[in-house]
Amino acid sequence: MNTFGKLYSFTSFGESHGVAIGGVIDGIPPRCSIDLDRVQLELDRRRPGQSSVTTQRSESDRLNILSGLYNGLTTGTPIGFVVQNSDYHSRDYSTLERLYRPSHADYTYQAKYGIRDPRGGGRSSARENIARVVAGAFARQVLECEGIKIYAYTSQVGNIRLHSDYTRYNPDLIDNNAVRCPHPEAAQLMIDLINNVKSKGDTVGGVVTCVIKGAPSGLGEPIYDKLQAMLASAMLSINAAKGFDYGMGFEGCSQLGSEMIDNFRPGPTTSSNHSGGIQGGISTGCQDIYFRVAFKPVATLLQPVDTIDIDGNPATLHMTGRHDPCVLPRAVPVVEAMACCVMLDALLQRRARQ
Amino acid sequence: MNTFGKLYSFTSFGESHGVAIGGVIDGIPPRCSIDLDRVQLELDRRRPGQSSVTTQRSESDRLNILSGLYNGLTTGTPIGFVVQNSDYHSRDYSTLERLYRPSHADYTYQAKYGIRDPRGGGRSSARENIARVVAGAFARQVLECEGIKIYAYTSQVGNIRLHSDYTRYNPDLIDNNAVRCPHPEAAQLMIDLINNVKSKGDTVGGVVTCVIKGAPSGLGEPIYDKLQAMLASAMLSINAAKGFDYGMGFEGCSQLGSEMIDNFRPGPTTSSNHSGGIQGGISTGCQDIYFRVAFKPVATLLQPVDTIDIDGNPATLHMTGRHDPCVLPRAVPVVEAMACCVMLDALLQRRARQ
Amino acid sequence: MNTFGKLYSFTSFGESHGVAIGGVIDGIPPRCSIDLDRVQLELDRRRPGQSSVTTQRSESDRLNILSGLYNGLTTGTPIGFVVQNSDYHSRDYSTLERLYRPSHADYTYQAKYGIRDPRGGGRSSARENIARVVAGAFARQVLECEGIKIYAYTSQVGNIRLHSDYTRYNPDLIDNNAVRCPHPEAAQLMIDLINNVKSKGDTVGGVVTCVIKGAPSGLGEPIYDKLQAMLASAMLSINAAKGFDYGMGFEGCSQLGSEMIDNFRPGPTTSSNHSGGIQGGISTGCQDIYFRVAFKPVATLLQPVDTIDIDGNPATLHMTGRHDPCVLPRAVPVVEAMACCVMLDALLQRRARQ
Amino acid sequence: MNTFGKLYSFTSFGESHGVAIGGVIDGIPPRCSIDLDRVQLELDRRRPGQSSVTTQRSESDRLNILSGLYNGLTTGTPIGFVVQNSDYHSRDYSTLERLYRPSHADYTYQAKYGIRDPRGGGRSSARENIARVVAGAFARQVLECEGIKIYAYTSQVGNIRLHSDYTRYNPDLIDNNAVRCPHPEAAQLMIDLINNVKSKGDTVGGVVTCVIKGAPSGLGEPIYDKLQAMLASAMLSINAAKGFDYGMGFEGCSQLGSEMIDNFRPGPTTSSNHSGGIQGGISTGCQDIYFRVAFKPVATLLQPVDTIDIDGNPATLHMTGRHDPCVLPRAVPVVEAMACCVMLDALLQRRARQ
């Protein structure tokens, strides 16, 4: 189904090369002032064609709000929105009616539905992220009124990786470069790597790190909707995401308990934050929340690849056109958006019980 | 909230040292023959006191089914079940009314609810897993009729880790040792490590790998309830879980697209399975699904630890009693159970659209 | 599925002649003091064998609470509960394995599931109401702390009916007679009618009226979960319920707008309450909410009735045993319970948005 | 929240005098051929300005489909749609920023959200029905492939009412007159009544009867999502609806069990259909389903009415403009639409269990 969230939710629609991408945001608290320019700015961060390390599709992605605001304030009613599709090159995809791109959704959509829209990947295209980014940008403005700030950055591309301690990096530097990495030298290495990979028609993966500051205690349900479970579900719903961990995550599982324990101190505060700001599924309120999302290298290679056609016969696929050699730079705003949606949903769920 | 799943769901209740743990399984297809001895066997695999590497609490954990079966067959009505609590040592926890255990749920429950049941961790105890294991054991028997098999094993304890290629290991060997590791020599090293750590009052983390064989194509919703998102949410809802990845996961994100792509071949089949059996959020049906779950070292140390009391003053906590030095062996059946629940839910959702 | 409610929910299980009826209450606010004797009292009001006008099955229906309370207070964790089945007469139902009772659920359960538990109606039995009554009794105690009071009464049996203006009747008189009608003379006529009908092996239907006092404004979602839609769904989920209306309901639809309009007056208050306390799907907070539920005559006649057997052949059914000649008296506490659950759910949903 | 349905669902957005009304249909089965002209035809049936007995607002209500279809077939992905608002007369509503219309949603929206869009009733306007009608029209085309037909008609206006036996009336005659009543003489009386009431600036209520033919057995969940509970929730979510009953409903509750029982006969069939095609919450498959929905007289009178202003002071409201003197004619397609949505949802839920 195409709805995400429980009390703050959004429902999206749209195919890459259909008429439009859009959605409905539901459950936003009333009387919030929304700066639509800032929402558009988030869309622009996701937009293709920003730099040499992203696809050159020049989509304008202008947001149209159809409902839910009155004199610039939310009314508590749903926000309908639409972004028209334009500048798409259907000719790039003409052979895809007969061939399944390996490691894409072509084959599985066909298997699930017995039909698929082959134009630009149809519904499986990353253009669907537009709806996420809009919903996240609305949520962010509500969260900021509650003192909650969320940012993400590229912490790894290929084998170039930052230290796992996010406190070493200044979030103000993230948008200073094309890969959205707050360490300028590492950023340049990442850009060089991506350009090198791109020149060979290849692609490369990486990791996004996300930090949530100012979350109050008590967010998250203790058993099945643990805050980390909500975040994991959100992150693994992003195209190309392959993994999620929070706090010390996979790295911490080779450690001892005495190394990983976060002792409480008066405040309350803790001597360390290996837990990632969540204990027993619930935010502590006295620690930052942080997590990582792994993204695979994009499967759209500009090299000949072996595959099969819709009749099951062997075939060779020659992809052309404009594609991302690395999703990381444009994944950053999507990770932030999904984190914003989860946190607002958790905040509203907490209010219901207070 | 305490319900997991959409079309195949279960709702659980119970505190560690309350009257009972139990739950309600809903949505199980009718006319399935259920072998209750096999369900009990799964509970026994989760039970404490199995070996020197798990806690010595000797709970019998006898399953009582209260509804939903008639002449050994499911009727389509809900399965109510209860496991009585017994043999608990309330004295072990008497000081915990005043002190917050670091990196446990004591503080966050208090912050969220303004009240908590301090006996044995109350609702946050791993005894809640009993409900998951029962629901998973029922789901497994339905899945087996559909040709779907699920197994998990300990693939890492501390720094002792198996190769990431699960096909190297024979699942029949998993239950041959106390850590549930299919590689006998590695298993012995893991056991030695756990015993060593335990002797120092410390604990250690690790990783569980899970494999799903025989899943048909078309499972998983393509956008927000991607199959991997459902699995991630399920796994991150398990106590002490800190991370999830599937296919080549975090390891694959440092690779090139040309290395990670799974080319289609007639069959259809694929030349490799870096995707982990899921593409575009939907099972391919021609590959195994596999994923990893990271577990932190348990935070219950048998060493003095610094903390605060409920008035916010510094305090020292001296935990005694019987605790797991490593959750991995007992996490294996829980990971399997949650995977079974997710897969049956996805299967029923797919049926609705066929 | 077997869960009712969104933020305050309960999940039930159990068949009439299985081991037990029970359920799980989820989402109850923490730190509420619960008087379990009052919960048992509600169960006793639903219990069969209370009077000559109800079935003589003498079930004790003792409530066992398994979780969720600590020192008499709710902890915010789920309330598991069980009521053991006893004193059932399986012999009464022995022929029902082969015959479908007309206007019962036997045939439709068989058609839906391909299997059914024929003992006492199995899951379709009114014993399932036990779970509703328990969940409602917990909700009622929370609502009372918010100043919300809910009562219901029998307003019609056969052609004996009270005036539609509930303000004419004193709720303190409801439980003074066996039919739960607050008008003593009408109550006696209803009892006489039921006894007369019963003596002929026949049954009779009626109407329950329910009143909610003290509800704050703002309860109910304005579009699809209008407060009246939530109440209608709850009431039509009760066995034998055939209709629901609120405010002036069916009677009001033959009137003019000028007769039905509730003019606002300072306070705010209204000149009348034809709306039934809800406008645009949302409680006004300045009017009582009231509604009616129609119940059909029970289909279990103690007369020979024509039917078919499971092979489709004509047959005659001779029902014996102890059955309600009229469900109204025992439906009253069930209507109240469902109303309590809906109102608490709506209250929690409202809190999330404040 | 603004989503209706579980497996077949739709989410709507839009205010009466905002940019557009629209929504997202989710869960429609793939590979269904959709005739968009027929969808538009349903919208035209709901459209204002059709006749002298409805409002004269001349909205064109042209449907724009934005996604989810490929070569005229559903792809299993969500259907986004938008209907632009036009020809609205904001001047009609200018005084409503300060006055609460009695028995409308103005006051309760303000109480719930602390803000409201006063233009044309904002979100509470009946224009929201556009989304329902579109979702219903898509569902209807899927249902027809399964042999399920749904129709509704005006069975009562004021005190002019048809016989409760729907089989007496020919559905082909429904759209032959302005009130959508299949009995020509009664239709003329209804039209005369409405015109008479309208000439006095007053309004009048009535009843819609709906019939579902061809439903298979097994639709509806047996306990809380009984088919009648789903239908009741759907119908009571329609603006101005005040009541719902099915089968013999309120009328049947004054009868004896021996009069109301539907005896089974070989086929299987039944000797009568007092149950309304549903037993134990589940469709029988061998009877028509039928139900009634009561609609109050519209509260928008073209007479001076007493009310209060937003400061709580007494005021007199003089409504002008174009309003429906009776909602019944335009309620008929909305009742049908909601019935179609419920039935398709129930059908998909049933498929999941087969």
Side-chain angles (χ1 to χ4, degrees):
Chain A
M1 308 290 280
N2 295 277
T3 297
F4 182 86
K6 185 170 176 179
L7 293 188
Y8 180 75
S9 74
F10 66 97
T11 302
S12 77
F13 64 82
E15 284 87 34
S16 177
H17 289 190
V19 180
I21 300 284
V24 187
I25 298 169
D26 205 357
I28 196 161
R31 304 183 309 279
C32 296
S33 175
I34 298 294
D35 180 343
L36 291 177
D37 291 338
R38 289 188 59 204
V39 178
Q40 181 65 52
L41 204 70
E42 293 291 336
L43 272 185
D44 293 345
R45 293 179 78 210
R46 192 217 72 87
R47 194 165 50 82
Q50 302 171 53
S51 74
S52 68
V53 299
T54 59
T55 168
Q56 296 301 299
R57 290 217 294 169
S58 59
E59 292 152 342
S60 60
D61 288 356
R62 295 304 306 174
L63 176 65
N64 295 292
I65 299 291
L66 304 180
S67 66
L69 295 179
Y70 184 61
N71 295 335
L73 298 176
T74 59
T75 60
T77 60
I79 313 283
F81 62 90
V82 166
V83 171
Q84 299 293 318
N85 291 327
S86 58
D87 187 49
Y88 46 79
H89 294 232
S90 290
R91 61 185 172 280
D92 286 347
Y93 300 97
S94 52
T95 62
L96 294 178
E97 284 207 79
R98 287 199 47 80
L99 299 186
Y100 296 125
R101 290 171 297 167
S103 293
H104 273 84
D106 301 342
Y107 175 78
T108 52
Y109 269 65
Q110 188 70 37
K112 184 177 184 71
Y113 297 116
I115 185 176
R116 73 194 154 99
D117 181 342
R119 301 167 300 171
R123 180 73 180 147
S124 72
S125 161
R127 266 189 83 69
E128 186 272 336
N129 285 327
I130 287 173
R132 303 172 188 246
V133 169
V134 173
F138 273 77
R140 187 196 291 274
Q141 296 191 30
V142 181
L143 291 171
E144 285 177 357
C145 299
E146 306 287 331
I148 303 172
K149 298 263 184 191
I150 298 177
Y151 65 89
Y153 58 89
T154 300
S155 55
Q156 181 178 341
V157 171
N159 280 313
I160 302 160
R161 71 186 77 185
L162 301 193
H163 193 276
S164 66
D165 178 7
Y166 67 90
T167 66
R168 298 185 179 200
Y169 304 107
N170 178 358
D172 293 340
L173 304 183
I174 293 170
D175 274 349
N176 282 7
N177 57 67
V179 282
R180 297 206 162 89
C181 170
H183 185 292
E185 291 76 24
Q188 191 54 53
L189 291 172
M190 291 172 178
I191 291 169
D192 293 346
L193 173 60
I194 295 172
N195 282 328
N196 179 265
V197 156
K198 180 185 175 185
S199 70
K200 296 171 183 162
D202 213 333
T203 64
V204 66
V207 174
V208 170
T209 294
C210 184
V211 181
I212 302 170
K213 300 183 88 76
S217 65
L219 305 190
E221 295 290 311
I223 306 297
Y224 306 117
D225 289 321
K226 285 184 165 77
L227 190 55
Q228 66 267 36
M230 293 172 70
L231 288 167
S233 170
M235 298 307 146
L236 266 301
S237 79
I238 302 174
N239 278 4
K242 301 296 286 187
F244 166 92
D245 65 2
Y246 77 106
M248 289 298 284
F250 275 95
E251 188 180 334
C253 67
S254 57
Q255 309 289 309
L256 299 178
S258 55
E259 295 168 314
M260 285 294 103
I261 201 169
D262 295 327
N263 291 314
F264 280 114
R265 291 183 178 171
T269 182
T270 54
S271 58
S272 53
N273 184 9
H274 301 121
S275 300
I278 304 171
Q279 293 177 358
I282 303 167
S283 62
T284 63
C286 60
Q287 299 169 309
D288 293 339
I289 296 168
Y290 63 96
F291 60 84
R292 296 189 306 156
V293 188
F295 288 92
K296 70 172 183 180
V298 189
T300 306
L301 309 182
L302 301 183
Q303 307 171 349
V305 293
D306 292 340
T307 188
I308 55 173
D309 64 19
I310 55 176
D311 299 320
N313 298 316
T316 302
L317 178 66
H318 301 266
M319 289 290 291
T320 55
R322 299 162 301 179
H323 298 283
D324 282 294
C326 178
V327 296
L328 273 291
R330 293 173 60 209
V332 165
V334 182
V335 166
E336 289 180 358
M338 294 305 285
C340 288
C341 291
V342 165
M343 293 307 289
L344 182 52
D345 199 1
L347 192 72
L348 297 182
Q349 290 187 45
R350 169 143 172 66
R351 281 188 191 165
R353 312 278 176 223
Q354 277 173 324
Chain B
M1 308 290 281
N2 294 278
T3 296
F4 183 85
K6 185 170 174 178
L7 293 188
Y8 180 75
S9 75
F10 66 97
T11 302
S12 76
F13 65 82
E15 285 86 33
S16 178
H17 288 189
V19 180
I21 300 284
V24 187
I25 298 169
D26 205 358
I28 196 161
R31 304 183 310 278
C32 296
S33 175
I34 299 293
D35 180 343
L36 291 177
D37 290 339
R38 289 188 59 205
V39 178
Q40 182 65 52
L41 204 68
E42 292 292 334
L43 271 185
D44 294 344
R45 293 179 78 211
R46 192 217 71 88
R47 194 165 50 82
Q50 302 172 52
S51 74
S52 68
V53 299
T54 58
T55 168
Q56 296 301 299
R57 291 216 293 172
S58 58
E59 293 153 340
S60 60
D61 289 354
R62 296 303 305 175
L63 176 66
N64 295 291
I65 299 291
L66 305 180
S67 66
L69 296 178
Y70 184 61
N71 295 336
L73 297 177
T74 58
T75 60
T77 60
I79 313 284
F81 63 90
V82 167
V83 170
Q84 299 293 317
N85 290 327
S86 57
D87 185 48
Y88 46 80
H89 293 233
S90 290
R91 61 185 174 280
D92 285 351
Y93 300 98
S94 53
T95 62
L96 294 178
E97 284 206 80
R98 286 199 47 80
L99 299 186
Y100 295 125
R101 290 172 297 166
S103 294
H104 274 84
D106 301 342
Y107 175 78
T108 52
Y109 268 65
Q110 187 71 36
K112 186 178 182 71
Y113 296 118
I115 185 175
R116 73 194 156 97
D117 181 342
R119 301 168 300 172
R123 180 72 179 146
S124 72
S125 161
R127 267 189 81 71
E128 186 273 335
N129 285 327
I130 286 173
R132 302 172 188 246
V133 169
V134 174
F138 273 77
R140 187 195 292 274
Q141 295 190 31
V142 180
L143 291 171
E144 285 177 357
C145 299
E146 306 287 331
I148 302 172
K149 298 262 185 192
I150 297 177
Y151 66 88
Y153 58 90
T154 300
S155 55
Q156 181 179 342
V157 171
N159 280 312
I160 302 158
R161 70 187 78 187
L162 301 193
H163 193 277
S164 65
D165 178 8
Y166 67 88
T167 65
R168 299 186 178 197
Y169 305 107
N170 178 358
D172 293 340
L173 304 182
I174 293 171
D175 275 348
N176 283 5
N177 55 67
V179 283
R180 297 206 161 90
C181 170
H183 185 293
E185 291 75 26
Q188 191 55 51
L189 292 173
M190 291 172 179
I191 292 168
D192 294 345
L193 173 60
I194 295 172
N195 282 328
N196 180 266
V197 157
K198 180 186 176 185
S199 69
K200 296 170 183 162
D202 213 334
T203 64
V204 66
V207 174
V208 169
T209 294
C210 184
V211 181
I212 303 169
K213 299 182 89 76
S217 66
L219 305 190
E221 294 291 312
I223 307 295
Y224 306 117
D225 289 321
K226 286 183 163 78
L227 190 56
Q228 66 268 36
M230 294 172 70
L231 288 166
S233 170
M235 299 306 147
L236 267 299
S237 78
I238 302 175
N239 279 4
K242 301 296 285 186
F244 166 92
D245 65 2
Y246 77 106
M248 289 297 283
F250 276 95
E251 189 179 335
C253 66
S254 58
Q255 310 289 310
L256 297 179
S258 55
E259 296 169 315
M260 285 294 103
I261 201 169
D262 294 327
N263 291 315
F264 280 113
R265 292 182 177 172
T269 181
T270 54
S271 58
S272 53
N273 184 10
H274 301 121
S275 301
I278 304 171
Q279 293 177 359
I282 303 167
S283 62
T284 63
C286 60
Q287 299 169 307
D288 294 339
I289 296 167
Y290 63 96
F291 61 85
R292 298 189 303 155
V293 188
F295 288 91
K296 70 172 183 179
V298 188
T300 305
L301 309 182
L302 301 182
Q303 308 170 348
V305 293
D306 293 339
T307 189
I308 54 173
D309 65 19
I310 55 176
D311 299 320
N313 298 316
T316 302
L317 178 67
H318 301 266
M319 290 290 292
T320 57
R322 300 163 302 182
H323 298 282
D324 281 295
C326 179
V327 297
L328 272 293
R330 294 173 61 209
V332 165
V334 182
V335 166
E336 289 179 358
M338 293 304 286
C340 289
C341 290
V342 166
M343 293 306 289
L344 181 52
D345 200 0
L347 192 72
L348 298 183
Q349 289 186 45
R350 170 144 171 65
R351 280 187 192 166
R353 313 278 175 224
Q354 275 173 325
Chain C
M1 308 289 280
N2 295 277
T3 296
F4 182 86
K6 186 171 175 178
L7 293 188
Y8 180 76
S9 74
F10 66 97
T11 302
S12 76
F13 65 82
E15 285 87 34
S16 178
H17 289 191
V19 180
I21 300 285
V24 187
I25 298 169
D26 205 357
I28 196 162
R31 304 184 309 280
C32 296
S33 175
I34 298 294
D35 179 343
L36 291 177
D37 291 338
R38 289 188 58 204
V39 179
Q40 181 66 51
L41 205 70
E42 292 291 336
L43 272 185
D44 293 345
R45 293 179 78 210
R46 192 217 72 87
R47 194 165 50 83
Q50 302 172 52
S51 74
S52 67
V53 299
T54 59
T55 168
Q56 296 301 298
R57 289 217 294 170
S58 58
E59 291 152 342
S60 61
D61 288 355
R62 294 303 305 174
L63 177 65
N64 295 291
I65 299 291
L66 304 179
S67 66
L69 295 179
Y70 184 60
N71 295 336
L73 298 176
T74 59
T75 60
T77 60
I79 313 283
F81 63 90
V82 166
V83 171
Q84 299 293 319
N85 292 326
S86 58
D87 185 49
Y88 46 80
H89 294 236
S90 290
R91 61 186 173 281
D92 286 348
Y93 300 97
S94 51
T95 62
L96 294 178
E97 284 207 80
R98 288 199 46 80
L99 299 186
Y100 296 124
R101 290 172 298 166
S103 294
H104 274 83
D106 300 342
Y107 175 78
T108 52
Y109 268 66
Q110 188 71 36
K112 185 177 184 71
Y113 296 118
I115 185 176
R116 73 194 155 98
D117 181 343
R119 301 168 300 170
R123 180 73 179 145
S124 73
S125 161
R127 266 189 82 69
E128 187 272 337
N129 284 327
I130 286 173
R132 303 172 188 246
V133 169
V134 173
F138 273 77
R140 187 196 290 274
Q141 296 190 31
V142 181
L143 290 171
E144 286 177 356
C145 299
E146 306 286 330
I148 303 172
K149 298 262 185 190
I150 297 177
Y151 66 88
Y153 58 89
T154 299
S155 55
Q156 181 178 342
V157 171
N159 280 311
I160 303 160
R161 71 186 79 186
L162 301 192
H163 193 278
S164 65
D165 179 7
Y166 67 88
T167 66
R168 298 186 178 199
Y169 304 106
N170 178 358
D172 293 340
L173 304 182
I174 293 170
D175 275 349
N176 282 6
N177 56 67
V179 281
R180 298 206 162 90
C181 171
H183 185 292
E185 292 75 25
Q188 191 54 53
L189 292 173
M190 291 172 178
I191 291 169
D192 294 346
L193 174 60
I194 295 172
N195 283 328
N196 180 268
V197 157
K198 180 185 175 185
S199 70
K200 296 170 182 162
D202 212 332
T203 64
V204 66
V207 174
V208 170
T209 294
C210 184
V211 181
I212 303 170
K213 299 182 89 75
S217 66
L219 304 190
E221 294 291 312
I223 306 297
Y224 306 116
D225 289 321
K226 285 184 165 78
L227 190 55
Q228 65 267 35
M230 294 172 71
L231 288 166
S233 170
M235 298 307 146
L236 267 300
S237 78
I238 302 174
N239 278 5
K242 300 296 285 187
F244 166 92
D245 64 3
Y246 77 105
M248 289 297 284
F250 276 95
E251 188 180 334
C253 67
S254 57
Q255 310 289 309
L256 299 178
S258 55
E259 296 169 314
M260 284 294 102
I261 201 169
D262 295 327
N263 291 313
F264 279 114
R265 291 181 179 173
T269 182
T270 53
S271 57
S272 53
N273 184 10
H274 301 120
S275 299
I278 304 171
Q279 293 177 359
I282 303 168
S283 62
T284 63
C286 60
Q287 298 169 308
D288 294 339
I289 296 168
Y290 63 96
F291 60 85
R292 298 189 305 157
V293 188
F295 288 91
K296 70 172 183 179
V298 189
T300 306
L301 309 181
L302 300 182
Q303 308 170 350
V305 293
D306 293 340
T307 188
I308 55 173
D309 65 18
I310 56 176
D311 299 320
N313 298 317
T316 302
L317 177 66
H318 302 265
M319 290 289 291
T320 56
R322 300 163 302 179
H323 298 283
D324 281 295
C326 178
V327 296
L328 273 292
R330 292 174 61 209
V332 166
V334 182
V335 166
E336 289 180 358
M338 294 305 284
C340 288
C341 291
V342 166
M343 293 307 289
L344 181 52
D345 200 0
L347 192 72
L348 297 182
Q349 289 187 45
R350 170 146 171 63
R351 281 187 191 165
R353 311 280 176 221
Q354 277 173 325
Chain D
M1 308 291 281
N2 295 278
T3 297
F4 183 85
K6 185 171 175 177
L7 294 188
Y8 180 76
S9 75
F10 65 97
T11 302
S12 76
F13 64 83
E15 284 87 33
S16 178
H17 289 189
V19 180
I21 299 285
V24 187
I25 298 169
D26 205 358
I28 196 161
R31 303 184 309 279
C32 296
S33 175
I34 299 294
D35 180 343
L36 291 177
D37 291 338
R38 289 187 60 204
V39 178
Q40 181 66 51
L41 205 69
E42 293 292 335
L43 271 186
D44 294 344
R45 293 178 78 210
R46 192 218 71 89
R47 193 165 52 82
Q50 302 172 53
S51 74
S52 68
V53 300
T54 59
T55 168
Q56 295 302 298
R57 291 215 294 170
S58 58
E59 293 152 340
S60 59
D61 289 355
R62 296 303 305 174
L63 176 67
N64 295 291
I65 299 292
L66 305 180
S67 66
L69 296 178
Y70 184 61
N71 295 336
L73 298 177
T74 59
T75 59
T77 60
I79 312 284
F81 63 91
V82 167
V83 171
Q84 300 293 318
N85 290 327
S86 57
D87 186 49
Y88 45 79
H89 292 235
S90 290
R91 61 186 173 279
D92 286 350
Y93 301 97
S94 52
T95 62
L96 294 178
E97 285 207 79
R98 286 198 50 78
L99 299 185
Y100 295 125
R101 290 172 297 166
S103 294
H104 274 84
D106 301 341
Y107 176 79
T108 51
Y109 269 65
Q110 188 71 36
K112 185 178 183 72
Y113 296 118
I115 186 175
R116 74 195 153 97
D117 181 341
R119 300 168 300 171
R123 180 73 179 146
S124 72
S125 161
R127 265 189 83 69
E128 187 273 336
N129 284 327
I130 286 173
R132 303 173 188 246
V133 168
V134 173
F138 273 77
R140 186 196 292 275
Q141 295 190 31
V142 180
L143 291 170
E144 285 177 357
C145 299
E146 305 287 331
I148 302 172
K149 298 264 186 190
I150 297 177
Y151 66 89
Y153 59 89
T154 299
S155 55
Q156 181 179 343
V157 171
N159 280 311
I160 303 160
R161 72 187 76 187
L162 301 193
H163 193 277
S164 65
D165 178 7
Y166 67 89
T167 65
R168 299 185 178 197
Y169 304 107
N170 178 358
D172 294 340
L173 305 183
I174 293 170
D175 275 348
N176 282 6
N177 56 66
V179 283
R180 298 206 161 89
C181 170
H183 185 292
E185 292 75 26
Q188 191 54 53
L189 292 173
M190 291 172 178
I191 291 168
D192 294 345
L193 173 60
I194 295 171
N195 283 327
N196 180 266
V197 157
K198 180 186 175 185
S199 69
K200 296 170 183 162
D202 213 333
T203 64
V204 66
V207 174
V208 169
T209 294
C210 184
V211 181
I212 302 170
K213 299 183 88 76
S217 66
L219 304 190
E221 294 291 311
I223 306 296
Y224 306 117
D225 289 321
K226 286 184 163 78
L227 190 56
Q228 66 267 36
M230 294 172 71
L231 288 166
S233 171
M235 298 306 147
L236 267 299
S237 78
I238 302 175
N239 279 4
K242 301 296 285 187
F244 166 92
D245 65 2
Y246 77 106
M248 289 297 284
F250 277 94
E251 189 179 336
C253 66
S254 57
Q255 310 289 309
L256 298 178
S258 55
E259 295 168 315
M260 285 294 103
I261 201 169
D262 294 327
N263 291 314
F264 279 114
R265 293 182 176 171
T269 181
T270 55
S271 58
S272 54
N273 183 10
H274 301 120
S275 301
I278 304 171
Q279 293 177 358
I282 303 168
S283 62
T284 63
C286 60
Q287 299 169 307
D288 294 338
I289 296 168
Y290 64 96
F291 60 85
R292 296 188 305 155
V293 188
F295 288 92
K296 70 173 183 179
V298 188
T300 305
L301 309 182
L302 300 182
Q303 306 171 350
V305 293
D306 293 338
T307 188
I308 54 172
D309 65 20
I310 55 176
D311 299 319
N313 298 315
T316 302
L317 177 68
H318 301 266
M319 290 289 292
T320 56
R322 299 163 302 181
H323 298 282
D324 281 294
C326 179
V327 297
L328 273 291
R330 294 173 60 209
V332 165
V334 182
V335 166
E336 289 179 358
M338 294 303 287
C340 288
C341 291
V342 165
M343 293 307 289
L344 181 52
D345 200 1
L347 192 72
L348 298 182
Q349 290 186 44
R350 169 145 172 63
R351 281 188 192 166
R353 313 277 176 224
Q354 276 174 324

